Amino acid sequence: MSELTYRLRGVRAELVEVDATPARNGGPLALELSCNFGNGTVERAAEERARVEHALDQQEAHLLINVDRSRLVRLPLDALPQGDLAVVAAICDWSDAKKRARLDWEGVRWAFAGELRYDGGVGVCRGILPFALAAKQAGVTDIVVPSRQAQEAAACDGVRVHPVATLTDLLRTLIGAEDDIELPRSWEPSSSNDLCYSDVLGQRAAMRAMEIAAAGRHNLLLVGPPGTAKTMMARRAAALLPPISREEALETTAVYSARGLVQEGSGLLMARPFRAPHHTVSTGALVGSRNNGVRSGEVSLAHNGVLFLDELPEFRLDTIEALAAVTKDGRARCGSETMPAEFWLLASANPCGCGYYGDDRKLCACSRASVDGYRSRLFKYVEMLGMIVTETRSQKYASLLEGGKGEPTRYIRERVVAAERVSTKLTLAAADRLSDVGESRHHLARMVASSVASLAGEFEVTPEHAADAVRLVKLV
């Protein structure tokens, strides 16, 4: 007899069969594992057999149904431990027609996910939402999942979800002794965080650049001395984007589920993600790695949200090169697997090594050669990542108080959302104004000019719009 479970392939799940056949000479339960990577199949098989048998003994499962332990079970190594429940279902004796009703009911197809504990409890496992999505696509009608992850599985419409907390719950569900539970599937998007741009005092030029960048999802670098609200503005950026759609939430939650980062008892993510990896992050941690299977990186965790790189020049060159490749096509590639990675990229940097080059309140302590080397590295990264640039400046305390609070986020977001519905056309006069930008950044300048016009609600890009774009794109 065979049952369905899954193995993870990056951020997607692949259904696999757990096949159980009578063992030779009626021997004890045995597991045959196929392995695509690494070693340890013998040890893992022994561990799995011990866990299943101990759980069966602890839950007195034989009182509910006959368990035939003289079986040879075949399954892939990377389908463990999430395939534990499928192993149990495969070795159970369903010869009683009454007890076969749930598994063999015409038009019903089952799949199982969950890790067995030695006490017979069912533990959580990674990738429940990708498993549910894969099951739905394969025509599975009913899935069994750990009760603490039932709400996550219920985010996938089109399949019946059966939560189980123990091995006994599993068997009671399969023989129809457990009532089906209708899980709530409501979903309401929320703001990305409670932080508001009204807290940002001054910095009008930088805030204008943030709005333009949000309207066109242009990658943006904030350059300025320490303490000029660069990080403060970046951490509020996700709230400038439109509320996350249900389709986007499914994609993003699936990425988090595959990493085991979905909070127990919760379903879809309600807000756009914000990720801010440290500048010491490895290339694998940023874009994905292949250690014992494909593992998504920060770029995928930021999918449909914001990725923020603080102190951009401190990141390694190879890391930025890998990130640049991801930003071009919105996908991260690890071997034969591809993972979603569409995000709004923000970064911050000091103007020099000490942080005070060009500041009118504190003298720069860097040599000219040091400044030139720092800025050369910074602008090289800007070119590679296709970023626009704006400055933040030191401000006097008195002027901050006089200016009052900044504009609330909701008003800026309304303009950004409205701009997305405006299609623009480049005029000849505007095209001539854009010629001030070098050839390598000319296409970026045209897109930024279009965003400026869209925010103004105008259908033609004028020289004035082009001039705003040139100021953001041109590197000086």
Side-chain angles (χ1 to χ4, degrees):
M1 182 172 184
S2 64
E3 303 295 346
L4 290 176
T5 186
Y6 74 102
R7 58 184 172 193
L8 281 173
R9 290 286 184 262
V11 299
R12 67 181 181 89
E14 179 180 274
L15 294 188
V16 296
E17 285 191 347
V18 176
D19 185 50
T21 57
R24 293 179 182 177
N25 303 320
L29 175 64
L31 278 85
E32 184 177 289
L33 304 180
S34 59
C35 182
N36 293 324
F37 56 85
N39 298 309
T41 55
V42 175
E43 293 81 358
R44 289 289 299 276
E47 176 190 331
E48 173 72 4
R49 182 173 61 250
R51 191 166 62 244
V52 169
E53 293 198 325
H54 198 74
L56 288 168
D57 291 338
Q58 289 295 311
Q59 290 289 301
E60 297 183 338
H62 60 277
L63 297 179
L64 290 172
I65 199 157
N66 295 325
V67 179
D68 184 359
R69 303 195 190 191
S70 60
R71 295 292 182 99
L72 172 63
V73 182
R74 296 182 178 90
L75 75 162
L77 174 62
D78 48 1
L80 295 178
Q82 65 267 19
D84 287 358
L85 298 189
V87 171
V88 172
I91 67 174
C92 285
D93 180 7
W94 304 101
S95 58
D96 187 325
K98 181 180 178 181
K99 293 179 179 179
R100 289 175 61 87
R102 294 293 291 245
L103 279 178
D104 286 353
W105 202 6
E106 185 176 353
V108 177
R109 195 177 179 201
W110 291 77
F112 302 85
E115 177 181 358
L116 270 181
R117 296 195 300 262
Y118 280 95
D119 62 357
V122 177
V124 299
C125 50
R126 295 186 297 119
I128 287 295
L129 180 55
F131 160 66
L133 295 170
K136 175 185 176 181
Q137 188 175 10
V140 171
T141 58
D142 293 70
I143 58 174
V144 175
V145 300
S147 57
R148 287 181 288 172
Q149 294 178 295
Q151 201 59 53
E152 180 184 336
C156 174
D157 294 327
V159 291
R160 286 187 293 270
V161 178
H162 301 272
V164 295
T166 66
L167 178 56
T168 300
D169 291 344
L170 168 67
L171 300 179
R172 288 178 61 84
T173 296
L174 294 180
I175 64 177
E178 200 74 44
D179 293 333
D180 291 343
I181 302 173
E182 187 64 32
L183 295 167
R185 297 177 187 260
S186 61
W187 177 77
E188 187 70 33
S190 64
S191 174
S192 292
N193 54 52
D194 297 327
L195 304 175
C196 184
Y197 276 103
S198 61
D199 299 328
V200 180
L201 308 183
Q203 306 297 352
R204 291 186 179 180
M207 281 303 305
R208 170 66 174 162
M210 287 283 297
E211 184 175 342
I212 294 170
R217 303 293 200 279
H218 307 300
N219 299 338
L220 173 66
L221 173 67
L222 300 164
V223 181
T228 53
K230 301 188 295 293
T231 301
M232 188 179 186
M233 286 189 282
R235 289 196 175 278
R236 289 158 172 75
L240 293 181
L241 303 178
I244 191 168
S245 68
R246 193 176 192 282
E247 183 179 352
E248 289 174 326
L250 270 172
E251 293 175 351
T252 305
T253 307
V255 174
Y256 278 70
S257 176
R259 284 283 301 270
L261 298 178
V262 176
Q263 187 175 359
E264 291 180 13
S266 64
L268 290 179
L269 297 180
M270 301 295 187
R272 296 186 181 276
F274 176 87
R275 304 294 297 185
H278 193 261
H279 61 76
T280 57
V281 67
S282 67
T283 301
L286 185 65
V287 302
S289 61
R290 287 183 291 171
N291 295 327
N292 290 331
V294 177
R295 179 184 174 92
S296 58
E298 290 288 338
V299 295
S300 295
L301 293 173
H303 182 56
N304 292 320
V306 174
L307 179 67
F308 175 52
L309 306 182
D310 197 11
E311 302 296 344
L312 179 63
E314 302 301 321
F315 284 79
R316 298 201 319 261
L317 176 60
D318 63 309
T319 301
I320 297 300
E321 288 174 339
L323 177 61
V326 171
T327 58
K328 288 179 181 177
D329 58 7
R331 310 288 292 180
R333 288 180 169 79
C334 287
S336 60
E337 293 295 322
T338 60
M339 294 170 285
E342 294 185 1
F343 49 84
W344 181 21
L345 177 61
L346 300 179
S348 70
N350 292 330
C352 66
C354 76
Y356 295 99
Y357 177 75
D359 187 40
D360 55 7
R361 301 190 67 191
K362 187 171 182 179
L363 289 176
C364 174
C366 302
S367 66
R368 185 70 224 182
S370 174
V371 171
D372 289 345
Y374 181 93
R375 293 177 76 82
S376 174
R377 180 182 179 87
L378 174 60
F379 290 145
K380 179 179 180 178
Y381 285 3
V382 168
E383 288 270 16
M384 292 170 63
L385 298 172
M387 310 187 86
I388 61 176
V389 183
T390 190
E391 290 186 341
T392 58
R393 297 189 174 276
S394 299
Q395 301 173 92
K396 293 182 179 179
Y397 182 68
S399 65
L400 291 177
L401 294 179
E402 290 173 2
K405 280 198 166 188
E407 186 176 16
T409 301
R410 66 180 183 275
Y411 297 139
I412 307 174
R413 182 173 58 244
E414 287 173 1
R415 294 195 296 270
V416 169
V417 172
E420 292 187 348
R421 297 192 289 266
V422 179
S423 298
T424 62
K425 182 176 66 175
L426 186 68
T427 63
L428 290 176
D432 184 61
R433 183 69 180 85
L434 292 175
S435 63
D436 293 347
V437 178
E439 185 177 345
S440 65
R441 293 173 66 78
H442 190 267
H443 178 65
L444 176 60
R446 292 186 61 166
M447 293 192 296
V448 174
S450 177
S451 298
V452 176
S454 298
L455 280 170
E458 299 182 18
F459 297 97
E460 288 190 345
V461 179
T462 67
E464 289 74 21
H465 302 145
D468 280 349
V470 169
R471 280 193 289 272
L472 292 170
V473 173
K474 198 170 185 180
L475 301 179
V476 294

